[in-house]
Amino acid sequence: MSIIQHLTRVLPKGIVITGNESTRPYECDGLSMYKKKPLAVVLPENIGQVRIALRLCRKLKTPVVTRGAGTGLSGGAQPIDQCVVLGLSKLNRIKSIDADNKLAVVEPGVRNIAISEAVSKYGLYYAPDPSSQIACSIGGNVAENAGGVHCLKYGLTVHNIESIKLLTINGDELLLSRKDDGLGLLALMNGSEGLLGVIIEITVKLKTKPDLARVIMAGFDSVRGCANSVADIIKAGIIPAGLEMMDKIAIEAAEGFAQVGYPLDAEALLLCELDGSKSDVEAEIDATMKILSGASTIKVSNNENERMALWKGRKSAFPAVGRLSPDYYCMDGTIPRRNLADMLEKINDLSNKYKLRVANVFHAGDGNLHPLIMYDANLDGEIQRAEEFGNEILKLSVEMGGSVTGEHGVGIEKLDAMCHQFNLKELEVFHKIKEVFDPDSLLNPGKAVPELHRCAELGAMHVHKGVLPHPELERF
């Protein structure tokens, strides 16, 4: 009996989806450059059905790719050959809210923004806010360790999770809690990309809404001037709630889409949000305005509507760039703040080299960059050029002392780049951890951590930190 026959036999009607057309919506995530149809899609309505599906897949050695809202940008939820996609979108209940202790217990299919909406009446909110927060789900946020425009002050997903429940490939339930996490397993699961278990419940930490939040918008005549201001703000001891940077192409795209008043004559734009008590915000605004005195354009939001409008442009940048090109490839690397200007100049050089336009959007405060490489998949060679362009950006990120990913995960997109960042011994540790949780490698296999022979073939093992090739490479 096949896995499909087993699943349809024991699960209620409508839970298992098969057939080319019915499974087509699940053939990729937000990285639409790559597509593959799954063998079947399972959309469980409760934890018991998730457990049944996992145990059957384990028994029949069928790979499982867990999927949330499908907004990921690294191919982490893309199906592989002969796999079952386990979609958790129907597990979308907010199970409890503890306003006194600032905690909420939610299922993985709950949308990010829905948490803040549900707790707003208590004067609380959930801090991490990816640009896709209106659609992305909290389970996927944990799997990718998502960030957002406010992660500089309030942290990534990992910093805002109190506990999670997950099912192993055997269907066994584990509870990982911050208060008794001596092994660091809770942090390990944040960013594990579905390789170690299936998240079924998350307890998130909530924040009290600040008394006041205001945004300073500053336009600059040069990218370097804007980048230097980022470093100067942090050096002054000011920690903004958000500190975002956009280049000219991104400014023009966002303004054309959102029409919020961005200066179209600026070469770079900085959005700096300050929040807290009224007196603290006013003092920090005065100090920041002095630092930004070299800006060609400057504006401070006067009310909540103006603040939200300024952020609307930034959070619309990705879809806005989609209006400029048939396709775009969204990168995600991280570099030290001091290298922002140098990186932008190098990206511009690469843009000329590959003859592809790029719009740059940065979480400037923590050096997380999102170059959007524009291409046309219908033109011969453009996908390959976009991939090569992106890989060079990731190599530069490592060479500048950064990382190949900040919040989008590795998925299938950055497997080769992982070979550039990590040496053989480090990758072996990743594989051993995977083996402990998933000995048959059925959970999202082939994602996030490259096979050792792949890195050996690329000849990239010696690049990271001057590490020489490992003797065991000779056997590959």
Side-chain angles (χ1 to χ4, degrees):
M1 190 181 296
S2 70
I3 184 64
I4 294 177
Q5 290 173 317
H6 274 286
L7 290 169
T8 53
R9 182 183 174 202
V10 299
L11 293 173
K13 185 177 180 180
I15 300 296
V16 183
I17 299 173
T18 59
N20 282 340
E21 291 307 311
S22 297
T23 59
R24 189 178 296 277
Y26 301 90
E27 64 186 3
C28 69
D29 56 14
L31 183 67
S32 58
M33 187 181 287
Y34 312 106
K35 297 178 181 179
K36 186 178 288 290
K37 287 192 181 68
L39 187 65
V41 177
V42 177
L43 301 176
E45 296 175 335
N46 56 57
I47 304 307
Q49 293 171 0
V50 177
R51 183 178 283 109
I52 289 170
L54 286 172
R55 286 177 173 168
L56 282 174
C57 287
R58 172 67 192 273
K59 179 179 179 180
L60 298 180
K61 297 293 189 289
T62 303
V64 178
V65 176
T66 308
R67 179 186 177 96
T71 59
L73 291 165
S74 63
Q78 180 192 296
I80 64 170
D81 285 331
Q82 300 300 300
C83 82
V84 167
V85 167
L86 184 62
L88 302 182
S89 58
K90 292 182 180 180
L91 302 181
N92 58 5
R93 292 183 303 148
I94 295 178
K95 300 177 74 172
S96 67
I97 297 171
D98 182 349
D100 292 335
N101 291 304
K102 299 180 184 178
L103 298 171
V105 181
V106 303
E107 291 184 327
V110 172
R111 292 178 302 116
N112 178 291
I113 200 170
I115 299 175
S116 291
E117 291 171 345
V119 303
S120 177
K121 60 186 176 183
Y122 303 107
L124 302 172
Y125 73 108
Y126 178 64
D129 59 339
S131 294
S132 59
Q133 70 173 150
I134 193 171
C136 66
S137 57
I138 189 66
N141 287 179
V142 174
E144 302 297 326
N145 194 20
V149 299
H150 289 94
C151 66
L152 173 61
K153 185 173 183 178
Y154 295 110
L156 300 164
T157 300
V158 65
H159 304 111
N160 292 274
I161 300 299
E162 184 64 25
S163 67
I164 63 173
K165 287 182 182 178
L166 62 92
L167 294 180
T168 68
I169 185 63
N170 294 320
D172 299 328
E173 184 174 305
L174 299 179
L175 171 64
L176 305 177
S177 175
R178 186 175 295 276
K179 60 185 178 183
D180 50 12
D181 189 25
L183 292 176
L185 295 180
L186 181 62
L188 176 67
M189 289 300 162
N190 282 269
S192 58
E193 301 194 37
L195 273 70
L196 306 179
V198 176
I199 297 165
I200 56 171
E201 182 183 285
I202 307 103
T203 301
V204 301
K205 297 197 288 186
L206 306 171
K207 305 288 187 188
T208 301
K209 290 181 181 178
D211 295 336
L212 180 65
R214 296 177 72 184
V215 174
I216 302 173
M217 177 188 74
F220 289 81
D221 293 332
S222 73
V223 167
R224 187 166 291 276
C226 187
N228 289 341
S229 294
V230 170
D232 290 341
I233 290 171
I234 303 299
K235 284 179 185 176
I238 300 168
I239 306 298
L243 193 56
E244 299 287 303
M245 183 173 166
M246 302 165 66
D247 71 1
K248 189 173 185 62
I249 296 178
I251 295 168
E252 292 174 350
E255 177 61 18
F257 182 82
Q259 299 179 5
V260 293
Y262 287 173
L264 295 177
D265 56 345
E267 292 296 320
L269 181 72
L270 191 66
L271 293 174
C272 176
E273 178 166 295
L274 303 165
D275 69 0
S277 67
K278 186 174 185 294
S279 59
D280 286 346
V281 171
E282 289 176 349
E284 288 187 340
I285 285 176
D286 289 342
T288 304
M289 292 286 277
K290 291 176 182 177
I291 294 171
L292 299 176
S293 59
S296 56
T297 304
I298 197 158
K299 175 183 178 180
V300 182
S301 64
N302 292 310
N303 52 54
E304 188 65 8
N305 287 337
E306 288 186 5
R307 183 183 78 89
M308 295 302 292
L310 291 174
W311 279 126
K312 179 183 177 183
R314 162 59 186 90
K315 290 198 171 189
S316 300
F318 287 10
V321 170
R323 302 169 75 214
L324 305 182
S325 174
D327 306 283
Y328 70 78
Y329 183 20
C330 178
M331 301 305 301
D332 166 50
T334 303
I335 59 173
R337 283 187 295 266
R338 65 180 179 274
N339 292 330
L340 282 174
D342 292 337
M343 174 59 95
L344 279 165
E345 289 176 358
K346 291 181 182 296
I347 288 175
N348 186 60
D349 291 341
L350 290 171
S351 177
N352 293 328
K353 173 183 175 180
Y354 288 101
K355 296 181 173 55
L356 294 172
R357 297 178 73 202
V358 58
N360 289 290
V361 181
F362 284 7
H363 297 313
D366 59 0
N368 187 195
L369 49 122
H370 295 314
L372 307 175
I373 302 169
M374 290 173 267
Y375 70 97
D376 186 344
N378 294 314
L379 298 179
D380 288 344
E382 288 222 347
I383 288 181
Q384 182 180 1
R385 294 213 315 277
E387 289 177 311
E388 292 173 357
F389 187 170
N391 206 32
E392 287 213 46
I393 291 173
L394 296 179
K395 285 184 179 180
L396 282 170
S397 297
V398 174
E399 290 165 6
M400 288 183 175
S403 168
V404 299
T405 183
E407 57 175 343
H408 290 177
V410 176
I412 60 172
E413 174 208 8
K414 301 187 185 81
L415 284 173
D416 290 349
M418 285 284 283
C419 298
H420 192 72
Q421 180 168 346
F422 295 101
N423 62 47
L424 181 61
K425 288 186 177 180
E426 291 166 332
L427 291 171
E428 284 176 338
V429 172
F430 292 149
H431 282 287
K432 287 176 181 177
I433 293 171
K434 166 74 168 168
E435 187 175 353
V436 169
F437 285 88
D438 182 22
D440 295 319
S441 192
L442 295 176
L443 292 171
N444 217 7
K447 309 281 183 67
V449 183
E451 295 297 329
L452 302 182
H453 66 80
R454 179 180 188 138
C455 292
E457 290 165 1
L458 290 171
M461 281 298 183
H462 63 285
V463 178
H464 177 50
K465 301 175 185 175
V467 177
L468 295 174
H470 193 283
E472 287 191 13
L473 285 178
E474 294 178 2
R475 62 189 175 92
F476 294 111

